[in-house]
Every structure is written in C-alpha cells, then in structure tokens.
Amino acid sequence: MAFRSGFVCILGRPNAGKSTLLNALAGERLAIISPKPQTTRNRIQGILNIPKHGKRSGAQVILVDTPGVHKPDSSLGRKMMVEVHEALEGCDLILMLVDVTRKLSPEDNFALQLAQRAGTPVFLLLNKIDLVRDKKKLLPMIEAYHGMHDFREVIPLSGLKKEGLDTLLDAIVKILPQGPPYFPEDQITDQPARFMVAEIIRERVLLETKEEVPYATTVVVEQFEEGAKLVRIAAVIYCERDGQKAILVGKGGQMLKKIGTSARLNMERMLGSKVFLELFVKVQPGWRDSRAFVDELDWRRQLEGLIAPPGRAGHNR
Ligand code: GDP
Ligand code: MG
C-alpha cells in the first residue's frame, strides 16, 4: 500500500471549532483556543503522521488552520482573509467545519464559496454533535447542505469529545494523493518557537481580559535567545489606549504578573526548558488599521531568510 501525503485545510467561521479539531487530531496543543473569535490570526500547521492500519495506508497529513472566515473590517481583518486564500491555494482537501448548534449564516455561505472557488474536494464536518441529544435533528441540516455543494463526505463529529475522528482520518487518508512525507516524522509543527511564544502570551491575555481588550492587543517577541540553561524571552504586548494598558498592567502590576507567570509556565512546557520572561505593555494607537504595523507583525516577514522553507522539490507551494 503506497504512502500518502497532502495538505488539508480547515475552513469555517469563527468559533466553529477549527482549532479544537486541529488539536484533537494532532494530539498536541498547537493552535491556541479560546471562546472568543479571531483567536487564530495566522495559519498554524499541525503535522499528523498516521500509521498504516488494517486497510488504511500510512499517511502524513499537514493540517492548515485558518483565521475564521469573516467580512474584513480593518487592515488586520483584510490580512486575515488573505491568509485564508493563501491557505486554500495548493491544498489537497478542504474540511469545511460547521457548528450544528447554530443556524447557517452568511459567513458559512461565504466559507463555502471560498471552497468552491478553490475547486478542491470538500468534506462537510458537522461539529459539536455532543451538544445535540436527538441526532435525527441533524438530518434536515445535512439535506440542506447537500443541496449547496457536492461534498465528498459528510461527517458528524465532536472535536471537543473526540468523537468521529477515526471516520474522518480514514476518509482523509483515502482521498490524499500518493507521495512521500513532506516533513520528518518527529516534527509536529513548522511554526517557529518564537511565534508560538507570542501566541502563548496572547492566549493568556485573551483568557484574563474582557471586552475590547483582547481584540486591541497584539504581541511582539523582541528577544528569543536559547542559552545552555534557559531561554531568555522579552515580549511587548501592544494595545491601543492608555485605559487598556492600565487593565493589562493591573493594580500594582498584578495583572501583568499573572499573565507573565502563566505564560512562562506554558512556554517552559512547550520548550522543555527553563524560561526567563520579560513582559512589557506599550500603547500603539490604531495599530489594527496601520498596514505597516500589521505587516511588521508578520512573523514570516520578521524571520525571512532565517528559516529554510520546507517541502519537496517539484511541489509548488
Ligand atoms: P475556531 O474559532 O473555529 O478555531 O474555534 P475554537 O476551536 O477556538 O472553538 C470555539 C469554542 O467552541 C471553544 O469554546 C471550544 O471549546 C468550543 N468547541 C469546539 N469544538 C467543540 C465540540 O465539538 N463540542 C463542543 N461542545 N464545543 C466545542
Ligand atoms: Mg481558531
């Protein structure tokens, strides 16, 4: 049985459960997850090595998470939609994820249009079935979706409860093209540690703060030095107004300390090393609408030239 490999893109509106599914499939916490939309601002690639099993061939699946599909309303929003288009280009399969507890929205329609435009096979994944007691209630929904597109598979599942994942994996492996693995087997993600570190800090901010603060915040890692005994990291949390800065710093610096401590513990777990973390808060009014600033945040741009692009010869990605 020949080995198979390919890129699989997860598409769906904010909060459909894309990051949760990616993590459930990869068995590692790669993408950050929170109940607030727009948590995922960049593509995160989880690499899944599937052993040969019974009739199933061995395969390597490169999972591409996308920022939630939405109508862009700022420079950052537009950049996120560019990410979605880029992710769809050149992938072998699209997983369109919908939340069965919510009515079909214009955003779901928009996601489907993007998938159709890419001309790539699409699986429809009905997510969060753990929340539906009477599974018969899913039938009208499945019927409605069938009328919209010729989905290769329709699979009910729960990313959170890890239900239906085997069925999904079997179907994915079956549809992927034959080919050798793209990445070495011990690699679980191609994201540089520096970017993951920024995401860990942002996740802590999302969990600790409310209202507009999470959306007005972004993290830039200014120092990342791997020493023999510890990793030295300095990062800046950018926000848009003095009031937000006051919230992020907290009374007597308590909030920043809380964010810093839990972020550091998470980093130490991820890096398998002691971390010395310095965290700063700075105000940069209107950073979301500044193209220059948003571009500067792009870790790929920041790291250009430092990392050799992975992949195999002849594959135009
Ligand atoms: P994303 O924006 O599409 O990446 O969505 P997330 O993966 O961040 O999930 C959004 C919210 O939905 C989180 O609170 C998840 O815990 C929740 N969620 C995701 N998948 C499931 C599921 O299968 N069942 C239930 N009950 N909740 C889920
Ligand atoms: Mg996400």
Side-chain angles (χ1 to χ4, degrees):
M1 239 172 316
F3 198 84
R4 293 170 183 271
S5 63
F7 287 76
V8 174
C9 182
I10 306 178
L11 190 66
R13 73 177 187 192
N15 269 320
K18 298 178 295 297
S19 301
T20 305
L21 178 65
L22 190 151
N23 290 343
L25 289 173
E28 293 272 344
R29 273 169 54 86
L30 299 179
I32 61 170
I33 299 166
S34 92
K36 302 186 179 93
Q38 301 191 22
T39 303
T40 312
R41 283 185 190 155
N42 288 278
R43 280 186 276 163
I44 306 237
Q45 299 191 332
I47 299 164
L48 204 57
N49 295 299
I50 304 170
K52 183 173 167 309
H53 175 69
K55 282 194 175 156
R56 186 171 77 191
S57 352
Q60 184 173 73
V61 177
I62 296 118
L63 294 162
V64 184
D65 191 16
T66 62
V69 172
H70 68 291
K71 286 248 149 73
D73 59 356
S74 66
S75 194
L76 176 64
R78 278 187 292 278
K79 186 170 169 49
M80 286 167 66
M81 291 320 296
V82 171
E83 291 272 344
V84 176
H85 283 283
E86 278 179 8
L88 289 182
E89 253 173 53
C91 80
D92 301 290
L93 171 67
I94 294 169
L95 303 177
M96 184 173 151
L97 197 61
V98 295
D99 178 343
V100 291
T101 65
R102 299 185 55 175
K103 281 218 187 77
L104 190 73
S105 74
E107 279 164 323
D108 290 316
N109 271 318
F110 186 47
L112 184 58
Q113 279 173 26
L114 285 173
Q116 285 171 327
R117 213 179 303 160
T120 308
V122 187
F123 288 178
L124 176 65
L125 307 184
L126 303 168
N127 193 32
K128 308 196 187 182
I129 51 155
D130 56 296
L131 297 175
V132 181
R133 227 172 292 153
D134 182 7
K135 304 285 190 257
K136 268 193 234 122
K137 289 213 175 106
L138 295 174
L139 292 176
M141 186 178 251
I142 293 175
E143 206 139 285
Y145 275 111
H146 261 311
M148 291 165 66
H149 184 73
D150 187 13
F151 294 104
R152 292 293 187 88
E153 302 275 353
V154 178
I155 302 171
L157 52 81
S158 165
L160 193 66
K161 302 277 186 231
K162 299 187 163 66
E163 287 168 36
L165 299 188
D166 273 343
T167 311
L168 173 61
L169 282 181
D170 284 348
I172 291 174
V173 173
K174 221 184 256 175
I175 206 167
L176 286 185
Q178 291 186 359
Y182 287 79
F183 295 92
E185 282 224 359
D186 57 359
Q187 202 169 334
I188 51 167
T189 175
D190 80 335
Q191 296 281 327
R194 196 179 172 115
F195 171 71
M196 307 269 288
V197 156
E199 289 289 90
I200 286 173
I201 298 168
R202 213 160 54 79
E203 181 181 48
R204 296 340 287 178
V205 172
L206 286 172
L207 292 171
E208 298 293 346
T209 63
K210 290 197 293 267
E211 285 151 26
E212 92 283 3
V213 179
Y215 307 108
T217 306
T218 193
V219 176
V220 175
V221 174
E222 300 207 316
Q223 183 195 21
F224 188 100
E225 276 173 31
E226 288 178 80
K229 290 224 173 86
L230 83 169
V231 183
R232 214 170 263 281
I233 298 167
V236 180
I237 303 174
Y238 282 98
C239 58
E240 294 187 319
R241 288 201 302 272
D242 288 335
Q244 295 158 352
K245 180 174 174 178
I247 292 169
L248 285 162
V249 173
K251 252 201 197 118
Q254 287 227 333
M255 177 59 93
L256 192 60
K257 203 169 168 200
K258 194 171 175 191
I259 291 171
T261 303
S262 59
R264 180 176 54 78
L265 292 173
N266 273 300
M267 288 171 197
E268 289 180 342
R269 213 169 305 144
M270 180 191 81
L271 299 168
S273 154
K274 282 258 169 249
V275 167
F276 178 76
L277 175 66
E278 275 184 296
L279 215 46
F280 307 92
V281 181
K282 287 184 187 166
V283 179
Q284 171 86 29
W287 67 263
R288 272 181 291 187
D289 292 317
S290 153
R291 251 215 80 93
F293 190 79
V294 168
D295 279 346
E296 213 174 285
L297 287 180
D298 193 325
W299 60 273
R300 266 168 295 206
R301 237 168 261 243
Q302 284 177 34
L303 295 180
E304 229 158 65
L306 287 180
I307 342 160
R312 64 187 176 208
H315 193 269
N316 59 338
R317 275 184 59 88

